[in-house]
């Protein structure tokens, strides 16, 4: 059995990629999808506003297209307004998000999940009883996914307490 000497590297320095390349590191803000090194807060906010407008556009198309022409799916807007409220209230009452779990935070997650599931279930029930068409249901569900991911992205990016509002 051959012994490996520890006093010299096993690969010559010209082929050792660890020493020949500079390390590239990207700092991630709040473990989200948006690298803050490349995006400012204003550009992230503009991107979130664009995606929210895209989701609302899907919802309006589900209601206003001539083959659907039914405005019952617009009731999903109430769920869009109600979904962040439990999270905002729990954050205000519990003093932020801790690593430890609290009853207030768990109730917030439960209520938010119930609101999101209700917003997904409403167009499916309306399509099942033939109040709206299944194509309109698909547009509403795609709008739901886009809007709720936008709300989730907002809370991930701007949810920390270290946001400096003087940079606006």
């Amino acid at each position: 059995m051959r012994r490996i000497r520890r006093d010299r590297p096993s690969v010559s320095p010209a082929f050792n990629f660890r020493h020949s390349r500079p390390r590239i590191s990207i700092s991630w803000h709040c473990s989200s999808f948006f690298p803050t090194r490349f995006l400012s807060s204003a550009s992230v906010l503009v991107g979130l506003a664009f995606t929210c407008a895209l989701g609302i556009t899907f919802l309006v198309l589900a209601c206003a297209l001539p083959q659907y022409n039914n405005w019952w799916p617009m009731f999903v807007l109430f769920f869009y307004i109600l979904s962040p409220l439990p999270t905002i209230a729990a954050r205000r009452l519990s003093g932020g998000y801790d690593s430890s779990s609290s009853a207030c935070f768990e109730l917030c997650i439960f209520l938010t999940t119930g609101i999101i599931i209700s917003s997904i279930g409403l167009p499916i029930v309306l399509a099942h009883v033939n109040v709206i068409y299944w194509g309109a249901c698909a547009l509403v569900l795609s709008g739901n996914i886009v809007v709720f991911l936008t709300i989730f992205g907002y809370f991930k990016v701007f949810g920390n307490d270290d946001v400096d509002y003087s940079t606006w």
Side-chain angles (χ1 to χ4, degrees):
M1 181 155 117
R2 185 175 169 199
R3 298 185 80 192
I4 299 173
R5 295 180 66 182
R6 300 281 182 205
D7 57 344
R8 63 182 174 149
S10 61
V11 179
S12 66
F15 296 107
N16 194 347
F17 291 109
R18 189 178 62 168
H19 296 294
S20 64
R21 288 191 290 181
R23 291 185 69 128
I24 298 172
S25 65
I26 298 173
S27 63
W28 292 90
H29 182 266
C30 214
S31 71
S32 67
F33 303 111
F34 308 108
T36 58
R37 177 182 236 176
F38 304 115
L39 299 174
S40 66
S41 296
S43 63
V44 170
L45 193 61
V46 168
L48 289 172
F50 176 74
T51 56
C52 185
L54 182 69
I56 300 294
T57 302
F58 283 145
L59 181 63
V60 170
L61 282 175
C63 296
L65 283 177
Q67 62 263 29
Y68 304 136
N69 198 21
N70 193 346
W71 291 89
W72 282 104
M74 230 8 130
F75 281 106
V76 175
L77 286 174
F78 291 121
F79 296 117
Y80 295 165
I81 294 168
L82 290 176
S83 67
L85 292 181
T87 305
I88 292 170
R91 185 171 177 201
R92 170 84 57 165
L93 293 174
S94 68
Y97 302 123
D98 299 359
S99 62
S100 64
S101 178
S102 67
C104 182
F105 186 67
E106 296 295 327
L107 180 65
C108 152
I109 292 172
F110 178 75
L111 291 176
T112 303
T113 304
I115 291 169
I116 291 173
I117 296 299
S118 298
S119 72
I120 292 170
L122 178 67
I124 293 173
V125 168
L126 288 175
H128 183 71
V129 295
N130 294 325
V131 174
I132 64 172
Y133 292 104
W134 284 103
C137 178
L139 282 171
V140 172
L141 291 177
S142 62
N144 281 347
I145 291 170
V146 171
V147 170
F148 287 126
L149 285 177
T150 302
I151 293 170
F152 177 72
Y154 177 80
F155 277 107
K156 278 300 204 181
V157 172
F158 297 107
N160 63 348
D161 295 330
D162 300 332
V163 175
D164 186 19
Y165 294 107
S166 64
T167 59
W168 292 84

